[in-house]
Amino acid sequence: MSHLPKSVIPLLLLIVVAVVWLVIDSDPPEQNKFLLDMTAESISSVEILFDEIVVRIAKTDSGYLLSGTVNDNADQVATSSFLNRLCNLKVDEIPVIADAANVGLGQLTITAFDGEKTVTCRLGKMNPVSGRYYVASSNRSEIATIDPAIVSLMNSIPFSLRQRLLFGKDAEYAEKIKVRFSGSKKYDEFVKEGDSWWLVNYSGDDSRLGEVVSIRRDLYNDRTRDGAYQADENLISNLLFIAHNAKVTHSSTVEIEPPVAAAISIGSATVEFSFPEKEQVECWRNSNPYPMQVNKKLHEYAFGNL
């Protein structure tokens, strides 16, 4: 049996020492530090399930949409802020040793999709020592823990994500307005044609026409509708200005069926109103059973002048 030359042995020892040093000095495999490992801008959709509440956020070309327990227009700023906070939630870099069956996973489930990958996270019980919550996610191999801020973040949704402006862009780019007075089942309908607004359907009696009409034309050949009334442009402009700036001051977390009462429809949004109480009036947007409150100014102007 041949032996290695003595001159080779020091070289082999040097190689072994170098390999050991590299193994010891190298960083451990990096874990996903963030819960979702996504950015808010990249997220296409999110579904959140907890306490019998379902929150779905979908990103479209025109912005975020809100569905699930609450089907409503999403507030773009509030929703973007929520997604940023969600994506910035960090988990422990070193996984904890825990049995999935004993940490109550599934009390909260988050499923996010960014157009390429789907990440599902399940929140469990709080660790009584650290005060952090157990969490398992499809982008991690082990159970970890997460900051309790995730609970406070979820406590306000979905109601905090509802559009803060009652009509928003619907009033800004309105081409059609429909108004229904309390006690009536029919709408007065105003349509914009060019720079003018026309009352094309009228549910009331002629005694109120003078307040909303500047010129009556029983027939006009240059338009597609006969028997229309040209509406007072100042009245319509003021109505749209007030509607565009009407802000939701409170969103109820209790379901209440909307009353068959006064209503205003602008663009894709229809808002039904109860009778004003003090300075606020309850209203329901797009038949959503969770009412909101707004200042009664819009209600007073619309149903006091139209």
Side-chain angles (χ1 to χ4, degrees):
M1 182 176 180
S2 61
H3 296 279
L4 291 173
K6 291 183 179 181
S7 61
V8 176
I9 294 175
L11 179 60
L12 289 176
L13 289 174
L14 182 63
I15 293 173
V16 170
V17 170
V19 170
V20 171
W21 180 83
L22 286 172
V23 170
I24 294 174
D25 190 64
S26 63
D27 293 328
E30 185 177 354
Q31 298 282 354
N32 295 318
K33 296 180 181 180
F34 295 98
L35 178 66
L36 295 179
D37 195 27
M38 297 177 180
T39 64
E41 294 76 16
S42 69
I43 289 179
S44 302
S45 63
V46 177
E47 182 180 76
I48 302 169
L49 309 174
F50 66 99
D51 293 339
E52 299 183 356
I53 291 176
V54 180
V55 181
R56 297 189 186 95
I57 300 170
K59 189 176 184 180
T60 69
D61 292 338
S62 58
Y64 295 109
L65 296 178
L66 183 64
S67 63
T69 299
V70 171
N71 293 284
D72 202 356
N73 300 334
D75 188 274
Q76 303 304 303
V77 174
T79 304
S80 178
S81 175
F82 169 79
L83 292 176
N84 270 301
R85 291 176 65 190
L86 182 64
C87 289
N88 285 325
L89 287 172
K90 292 183 178 180
V91 297
D92 283 344
E93 295 183 39
I94 302 174
V96 300
I97 300 173
D99 184 353
N102 296 324
V103 296
L105 295 175
Q107 298 183 33
L108 165 72
T109 302
I110 303 170
T111 303
F113 176 63
D114 68 356
E116 294 182 359
K117 64 179 181 295
T118 299
V119 175
T120 299
C121 307
R122 295 180 296 147
L123 193 71
K125 300 175 182 177
M126 177 190 286
N127 182 303
V129 177
S130 67
R132 296 168 66 85
Y133 285 84
Y134 293 109
V135 65
S137 56
S138 59
N139 61 337
R140 298 180 64 85
S141 58
E142 303 288 345
I143 295 173
T145 61
I146 190 169
D147 191 281
I150 188 172
V151 176
S152 59
L153 180 61
M154 298 299 161
N155 280 341
S156 64
I157 64 170
F159 305 101
S160 62
L161 303 181
R162 301 178 76 179
Q163 182 175 285
R164 309 284 173 84
L165 292 174
L166 191 60
F167 286 99
K169 291 182 178 180
D170 285 292
E172 187 176 356
Y173 303 106
E175 299 287 336
K176 181 185 292 187
I177 302 171
K178 295 168 69 177
V179 179
R180 187 187 72 208
F181 286 80
S182 182
S184 175
K185 294 183 179 180
K186 296 181 179 180
Y187 282 87
D188 294 354
E189 184 176 351
F190 300 86
V191 175
K192 187 177 183 181
E193 295 183 1
D195 294 327
S196 299
W197 281 90
W198 296 83
L199 177 62
V200 295
N201 287 307
Y202 183 62
S203 64
D205 57 70
D206 287 344
S207 63
R208 247 183 46 240
L209 271 176
E211 299 175 20
V212 297
V213 172
S214 59
I215 302 173
R216 175 170 181 171
R217 300 178 66 181
D218 291 327
L219 295 172
Y220 49 104
N221 297 324
D222 58 334
R223 295 186 184 276
T224 59
R225 298 180 182 86
D226 295 338
Y229 300 84
Q230 188 172 3
D232 185 283
E233 292 184 15
N234 288 330
L235 187 149
I236 298 296
S237 295
N238 290 339
L239 173 65
L240 289 175
F241 177 81
I242 296 172
H244 179 258
N245 290 285
K247 293 182 180 179
V248 175
T249 58
H250 176 73
S251 180
S252 174
T253 59
V254 179
E255 289 189 38
I256 302 174
E257 284 300 315
V260 181
I264 300 175
S265 177
I266 302 177
S268 62
T270 296
V271 177
E272 298 170 277
F273 295 87
S274 66
F275 292 103
E277 295 182 9
K278 298 181 180 180
E279 293 301 313
Q280 301 292 312
V281 58
E282 271 193 325
C283 56
W284 290 255
R285 184 167 53 207
N286 296 336
S287 299
N288 194 289
Y290 297 92
M292 303 173 294
Q293 288 186 355
V294 294
N295 188 281
K296 67 178 182 180
K297 185 176 182 180
L298 173 62
H299 184 281
E300 287 183 338
Y301 187 86
F303 302 107
N305 289 279
L306 294 181

